[in-house]
Amino acid sequence: MPHPTRPLRKLGFLTIGLFDPADPAAGHESTLRIIELGERLGFDSAWLRHRHLQFGISSPVAVLAAASQRTSRIELGTAVTPLGWENPLRLAEDLATVDLLAGGRINPGVSVGEPMHYDTVKHELYPDSGEQEDFSYGRVERFAHLVAGEPVREFSGRQGVVEEFSNRVEPHSPGLRGRLWYGAGSTASAVWAGANGFNLLSSSVVFPGEDQDPDFALVQQSQIRAFREEAAASGHSRARVSQGLVVIPTDSATPAQREKYQRYVDERTPRTTAPQGPRGMMFARDLIGSSEQIAGQLYAHAGFQEVDEVAFALPFSFDHEDYVQILTDIAGKLGPALGWIPADAGKPAS
């Protein structure tokens, strides 16, 4: 068993919230039960992916609101919410509301850029302003200012007998701005996140620079270091970084599950062998095997060596009982192999 040089401080997981379109309620209930299980197992955080016009969670804020009432300790986040689909002011209102309901446990992760397959949806999403919408960093800056409670307008105060108006987004959740994360895949976006007071979500997808060797782990390592350097220079000394790789421990898996998991990994592995598309997008390999084997691979991973918290991604298309087995093995075997102490074993939640 490898020996950690720096124990893993925070352990989380990320799920897409897959559902059957013929029975979507069951899939959403499964996601909530998985989050409840995560809290019982001592996980520090649970994160939701964000999918539009697909068979995964399209409204993570609503699911987080439900989860906040079925848990009491575990942090809840999005990884990530694409702001191109959102009105920043309305999203700021919703997130602040849920954060207050959750007792300050919400960690919104966001990204910018044109929505995926934009030409197929812009006539419904922005019928009158599709060509004018700003999908640049300016959109996320506006969102962050609103979350921080900066003025929206000059007008405020009482009007009439009972109407009270504010000049900022209400309700205001004071600590939420410090828990905003940015999902960065390039060095430029990692540097921008560091300079603008965001925490960094580094996932299983990166875009290497023109002068970088196509080695996923080394590219991710360089992006994390660039983020930290810029965050420190900008006075954001407490900036957090979370890594999100797909890990599939098989310690307690049945033979049928192991075969199923290996097929999943085998189908996805070819895309990891070379950069993809015009931007040279690179995918991380899924890590499968015993917790001891996965721990060894993580300790050898240059990106993992830079972090002390993770949000391991659950595979997209597995069944509820598969996720129970994987999460149980992560919490009971892989986490401890990485030096992690479950929250229900005496570690404070903060």
Side-chain angles (χ1 to χ4, degrees), residues 3-295:
H3 297 282
T5 57
R6 179 174 60 179
L8 187 65
R9 185 173 59 88
K10 285 182 177 287
L11 175 62
F13 65 91
L14 167 63
T15 179
I16 192 174
L18 187 71
F19 61 83
D20 182 344
D23 186 15
H28 285 75
E29 173 62 23
S30 171
T31 296
L32 291 171
R33 287 166 55 198
I34 287 296
I35 294 173
E36 290 179 292
L37 173 65
E39 177 158 281
R40 292 196 301 272
L41 291 173
F43 278 89
D44 297 290
S45 61
W47 302 75
L48 303 179
R49 293 188 186 273
H50 201 150
R51 291 292 186 269
H52 289 291
L53 304 180
Q54 294 180 257
F55 306 115
I57 292 171
S58 63
S59 184
V61 175
V63 177
L64 292 179
S68 77
Q69 303 306 293
R70 292 169 63 157
T71 58
S72 62
R73 175 198 54 79
I74 193 169
E75 294 184 14
L76 304 167
T78 61
V80 291
T81 296
L83 286 184
W85 289 80
E86 306 289 339
N87 178 298
L89 193 152
R90 282 291 299 115
L91 181 62
E93 290 177 329
D94 287 346
L95 287 168
T97 300
V98 176
D99 192 47
L100 292 169
L101 293 172
R105 292 185 283 138
I106 301 301
N107 286 259
V110 300
S111 67
V112 294
E114 187 175 278
M116 186 179 296
H117 305 302
Y118 185 51
D119 286 342
T120 69
V121 297
K122 66 181 180 182
H123 60 289
E124 293 291 344
L125 191 58
Y126 301 112
D128 301 316
S129 61
E131 304 303 328
Q132 289 77 45
E133 288 294 326
D134 178 12
F135 299 127
S136 71
Y137 291 134
R139 198 178 191 92
V140 71
E141 289 171 350
R142 181 156 57 97
F143 167 71
H145 293 324
L146 295 167
V147 169
E150 296 184 17
V152 174
R153 61 186 181 184
E154 294 183 2
F155 171 69
S156 65
R158 175 168 291 188
Q159 185 178 51
V161 179
V162 296
E163 293 283 359
E164 284 280 351
F165 293 89
S166 175
N167 65 352
R168 70 177 184 181
V169 165
E170 300 291 352
H172 176 64
S173 186
L176 186 58
R177 175 61 183 89
R179 282 178 270 115
L180 294 185
W181 298 71
Y182 189 79
S186 67
T187 300
S189 58
V191 168
W192 180 89
N196 286 273
F198 286 80
N199 302 302
L200 178 67
L201 289 169
S202 186
S203 70
S204 57
V205 177
V206 297
F207 296 92
E210 293 182 0
D211 59 342
Q212 288 183 300
D213 292 331
D215 181 306
F216 179 94
L218 292 177
V219 171
Q220 188 174 63
Q221 180 188 62
S222 69
Q223 292 179 1
I224 293 172
R225 289 178 174 178
F227 166 80
R228 285 212 171 99
E229 181 178 346
E230 188 65 31
S234 303
H236 189 33
S237 59
R238 299 186 65 182
R240 296 166 61 185
V241 179
S242 180
Q243 184 196 44
L245 302 179
V246 176
V247 301
I248 309 176
T250 58
D251 303 88
S252 66
T254 66
Q257 284 175 318
R258 293 186 184 193
E259 181 180 352
K260 172 183 179 179
Y261 300 168
Q262 191 61 58
R263 285 199 308 269
Y264 178 87
V265 172
D266 290 345
E267 290 175 359
R268 285 161 50 92
T269 296
R271 68 178 189 165
T272 70
T273 59
Q276 306 289 310
R279 294 185 60 193
M281 180 168 53
M282 298 180 64
F283 294 94
R285 289 178 176 271
D286 300 335
L287 304 183
I288 186 172
S290 69
S291 289
E292 182 175 359
Q293 291 170 328
I294 293 174

